[in-house]
Amino acid sequence: MPVFPLGAHVDGDAVRFAVASSAADAVEVCLVDGPDDALTERRVELTERTFGVWHGSIAGVRPGQRYGYRVHGPYRPWEGTRSNPAKILVDPYARQITGRVTDVRAARGWVDDPMTGPADTVDSLGHVPLSVVTATPDGPARPRPDVPWAETVVTELHVRGFTKLHPEVPEPLRGTYLGLAHPAVVAHLVRIGTTAVELLPVASIADEPPLLERGAPNYWGYSTLGFLAPHAGYASVPGAEVAEFATMVDALHAAGIEVILDMVPNHTCEGGVGGTTLSYRGLDARAYYSLGGNGYDADITGTGNTLDAGSPTVIRLVCDALRHWVTAYGVDGFRIDLASVLGRPRSGAFDPHASLLTAIAVDPVLSTTKLIAEPWDATGEGYRVGGFGVAWSEWNGRYRDAVRDFWRGHGRIGELASRLTGSSDIYALSGRRPWASVNFVTAHDGFTLRDLVSYERKHNEANGEQNRDGTDDNRSQNFGVEGETSSPVVLARRLATARAMIATTLLSIGTPMLVGGDERWRTQGGNNNAYCLDDATSWVDWTPSDLAEDLTAFTARVAALRRAHPDLRRDTWLADEEAVWWHPSGRPMTEGDWHSHGARTIGVHVGESLLLLHADGGAAACTLPPQGPFRTVLDSSRATGRPVSDRPLPGGTTITLPPHSVLLLRC
């Protein structure tokens, strides 16, 4: 019988099971029935083994059947082999997963010590998740929108947090896939110019052992259990996550919005050797994880374990999983979390041509999607902004830092200029286009936009880690007051700077990324690492307010201007003569200007657009270029961005730049 594909596949009146494990001496499929408090199982041994894959067909099994695997074999932790038939294991290729860890002790595979103690004999059935047999999906309901990269505007958001408090979404649908598909939510995304949503992880999530022990969730979801299964917790009806995820994708596609998934193929939810045995560790730890010679996990992800990007088993799983999301649901692309790990086989040195990165880039299906790398991991070796191959766009961390620095009065103006024009110094040499730079100022990880201008220190006490977690390199400002304030002067300065950063992001050459909720002035109370807070700290507040409406209208206006003017969303690099860098005194910038200490005003004239940025707290005069006339189409010092006047301004006119402002003029 054929070995492939891996997983559980309906074949007439039977189901074909196939699972990879080179460490096993025997593998059993466990068919589970009954209520959660009285589960029963029927064990069927897989007697066929081909190329390290255990496989067989079981008659009478139908979609909806819960199942798992039990692996018999050596238990030698010091060699990285942890076979333990007392632990029922999730199928890495399960397309649906049900249940959660309810007993950490039962989910662990060891007693006393993970390296020297014996294998734990407590049966984990009833205490851990199970796989579910699913029918082969029909495929996407409609073609993908296929938005050109140069026209792409990304909104990063959390499926649950974005709609949990939305008053127009029916309460049973809030915080679910169907909530995100609701017409009112889709209309809002369209209004602010979104062409692609980048969803925080939606592949099946399980909380890591430290969170389980203190009763906290991994709200962000960077803790994958199953790479092919939609997370069950975002379904409005238990067990309906497969259909509801497909409905969400279809609704977004109908509005012309692409769906990009944040995938985490660098580690799993099992943690380090002291963690749980839910799937990969029990099946074949040496084939899935990067291990040291003593059996301990190599940890370049900061999570306790690292998937081995050089393992054929991992390469196949990752490519098969990504391809499944495209072919089954029509997903448009992927943002790869800690993507540098994928270029570090066996946790070694980074290689942009490493086997897993290459396999994704040349795959006939995946190469037609948008591929975005988070170009770093938890180590210095992994910081690789600009280091990925031509198939990849990247989260541009240097853009984030330069823009934050400029608007808080720090940094070099030359660095900002490079970031505004697509970061050619980072991406052009490799043959990539300007849109390879995913430009962002805020992301899920770090301060919200509101907190970026309200706090200078992190306030993560609610996470339960004594405020030790989260970065201290926030490059933020509070305008003299830490946290919330009733001062209208301070609030006005904060809002002006926030609007300036939104405008900067949307008007820079490259691919802009905003965070859903920033346009509604969302705060996390200074928490810059709210990964474990599934509460109002992390949810978008949809309470109507003039301030939220104005900021949303401002975001929509800037996005519309970007959409209307091709010179603001270029597909090719600027030639030297195409951009004139403008000094506020009324002349092109000179070499000395770039090295001027404390320069806080800069302009760039590209095509018919003149973009002026002024980061000082006081107003400043600026003389326009002689070409003209100019008409102001955006003034970020105004609540909605609408200028006081749109009367033509002759070339050479001297205008006043408001404090903390971005002005866009059209010639």
Side-chain angles (χ1 to χ4, degrees):
M1 100 179 296
V3 176
F4 307 112
L6 293 171
H9 295 269
V10 178
D11 184 11
D13 293 328
V15 170
R16 293 178 289 112
F17 293 90
V19 64
S21 177
S22 59
D25 294 330
V27 175
E28 296 171 314
V29 176
C30 303
L31 304 176
V32 179
D33 294 294
D36 290 343
D37 59 352
L39 294 176
T40 62
E41 67 173 313
R42 176 166 68 97
R43 301 187 185 185
V44 180
E45 186 175 354
L46 296 177
T47 57
E48 297 291 328
R49 185 183 187 185
T50 309
F51 308 135
V53 174
W54 299 81
H55 54 98
S57 182
I58 304 176
V61 179
R62 305 302 303 156
Q65 174 69 58
R66 290 170 290 172
Y67 72 99
Y69 292 111
R70 293 189 188 271
V71 172
H72 301 261
Y75 183 81
R76 294 192 287 267
W78 56 92
E79 295 179 356
T81 305
R82 296 175 176 272
S83 304
N84 185 343
K87 308 305 170 184
I88 191 165
L89 306 175
V90 164
D91 184 351
Y93 278 74
R95 299 193 296 272
Q96 186 174 3
I97 296 173
T98 185
R100 60 187 183 88
V101 177
T102 58
D103 186 332
V104 181
R105 161 68 200 284
R108 285 194 167 112
W110 50 272
V111 177
D112 296 331
D113 186 275
M115 297 303 293
T116 61
D120 182 74
T121 58
V122 174
D123 196 317
S124 65
L125 179 62
H127 306 293
V128 296
L130 294 168
S131 314
V132 181
V133 174
T134 60
T136 302
D138 295 329
R142 67 182 74 232
R144 303 203 311 257
D146 199 22
V147 178
W149 261 116
E151 298 176 14
T152 298
V153 176
V154 178
T155 297
E156 187 197 38
L157 58 86
H158 190 286
V159 167
R160 178 170 168 82
F162 196 67
T163 66
K164 181 63 179 174
L165 300 177
H166 200 298
E168 294 183 61
V169 176
E171 191 165 350
L173 304 185
R174 295 176 189 171
T176 71
Y177 299 122
L178 295 186
L180 189 56
H182 190 274
V185 177
V186 175
H188 176 83
L189 291 169
V190 170
R191 180 189 180 194
I192 62 173
T194 304
T195 72
V197 290
E198 185 175 296
L199 305 181
L200 268 67
V202 296
S204 181
I205 301 159
D207 301 325
E208 306 100 310
L211 290 174
L212 288 167
E213 289 169 343
R214 70 175 196 253
N218 190 314
Y219 168 74
W220 284 351
Y222 293 91
S223 184
T224 307
L225 173 60
F227 291 95
L228 285 80
H231 183 55
Y234 301 149
S236 66
V237 176
E241 61 270 19
V242 171
E244 292 190 9
F245 182 87
T247 298
M248 176 197 71
V249 173
D250 186 47
L252 291 165
H253 281 181
I257 297 175
E258 295 183 315
V259 178
I260 297 172
L261 303 188
D262 196 335
M263 296 293 289
V264 195
N266 59 76
H267 73 280
T268 77
C269 64
E270 292 183 313
V273 294
T276 51
T277 299
L278 302 178
S279 178
Y280 310 92
R281 178 166 286 123
L283 281 167
D284 195 348
R286 290 183 298 183
Y288 285 105
Y289 293 123
S290 178
L291 302 178
N294 55 5
Y296 282 91
D297 290 274
D299 183 11
I300 62 173
T301 64
T303 66
N305 68 59
T306 302
L307 288 171
D308 182 6
S311 165
T313 302
V314 171
I315 294 170
R316 182 177 178 186
L317 171 63
V318 172
C319 291
D320 286 351
L322 299 182
R323 198 181 308 111
H324 173 73
W325 291 101
V326 179
T327 58
Y329 301 107
V331 162
D332 303 279
F334 304 94
R335 179 264 190 187
I336 304 299
D337 178 64
L338 302 184
S340 295
V341 173
L342 277 62
R344 302 182 64 183
R346 292 165 294 284
S347 300
F350 178 79
D351 178 3
H353 306 296
S355 51
L356 180 47
L357 290 176
T358 300
I360 294 171
V362 302
D363 184 277
V365 172
L366 301 180
S367 61
T368 69
T369 66
K370 288 182 166 70
L371 299 174
I372 303 171
E374 181 186 36
W376 48 77
D377 57 31
T379 72
E381 165 67 20
Y383 187 80
R384 294 290 167 171
V385 173
F388 281 71
V390 293
W392 296 87
S393 294
E394 298 176 14
W395 270 25
N396 189 347
R398 287 182 61 181
Y399 178 95
R400 172 200 59 207
D401 295 346
V403 173
R404 288 187 179 192
D405 280 347
F406 176 76
W407 288 110
R408 70 189 181 109
H410 294 261
R412 297 185 302 107
I413 203 163
E415 174 74 4
L416 178 73
S418 296
R419 305 306 141 236
L420 291 176
T421 50
S423 297
S424 61
D425 57 327
I426 299 176
Y427 299 108
L429 189 61
S430 64
R432 287 183 277 182
R433 299 286 188 94
W435 40 257
S437 176
V438 177
N439 299 330
F440 69 104
V441 176
T442 58
H444 68 276
D445 186 1
F447 282 149
T448 66
L449 182 64
R450 176 174 174 174
D451 291 353
L452 190 64
V453 294
S454 303
Y455 295 89
E456 293 186 358
R457 303 182 304 277
K458 65 185 181 185
H459 297 268
N460 299 357
E461 290 79 7
N463 297 356
E465 300 179 37
Q466 291 77 52
N467 205 35
R468 294 192 300 264
D469 62 303
T471 184
D472 292 312
D473 183 20
N474 295 297
R475 304 185 187 221
S476 58
Q477 56 188 321
N478 64 16
F479 293 92
V481 179
E482 184 73 358
E484 296 304 302
T485 180
S486 58
S487 167
V489 173
V490 173
L491 181 58
R493 290 174 178 170
R494 290 176 176 179
L495 282 164
T497 305
R499 289 191 298 267
M501 286 194 280
I502 290 174
T504 304
T505 305
L506 285 169
L507 299 179
S508 296
I509 294 174
T511 302
M513 186 186 83
L514 306 176
V515 175
D518 274 355
E519 80 283 0
R520 294 196 56 79
W521 202 229
R522 186 176 79 86
T523 180
Q524 292 182 168
N527 193 316
N528 72 357
N529 189 39
Y531 76 102
C532 59
L533 300 180
D534 186 6
D535 57 28
T537 305
S538 300
W539 303 337
V540 175
D541 184 357
W542 293 92
T543 304
S545 72
D546 291 341
L547 194 156
E549 170 55 31
D550 285 347
L551 195 56
T552 299
F554 176 84
T555 305
R557 180 177 183 85
V558 184
L561 289 168
R562 178 186 178 87
R563 193 163 55 246
H565 302 299
D567 50 0
L568 299 175
R569 44 179 175 82
R570 292 179 59 94
D571 192 46
T572 57
W573 297 109
L574 287 167
D576 289 343
E577 66 275 8
E578 290 184 281
V580 177
W581 293 99
W582 196 248
H583 192 276
S585 65
R587 55 174 175 77
M589 295 275 284
T590 66
E591 183 66 25
D593 293 330
W594 293 114
H595 302 287
S596 174
H597 180 72
R600 302 266 52 92
T601 307
I602 190 172
V604 59
H605 193 188
V606 178
E608 296 182 354
S609 296
L610 175 64
L611 184 65
L612 302 172
L613 296 86
H614 176 58
D616 195 72
C622 178
T623 301
L624 302 179
Q627 305 88 349
F630 291 92
R631 184 170 61 89
T632 306
V633 295
L634 178 74
D635 180 353
S636 74
S637 71
R638 310 282 296 173
T640 65
R642 185 178 296 278
V644 175
S645 171
D646 63 354
R647 65 181 177 83
L649 300 170
T653 300
T654 299
I655 64 173
T656 299
L657 302 179
H660 312 293
S661 66
V662 172
L663 269 63
L664 178 65
L665 297 89
R666 296 287 295 173
C667 179

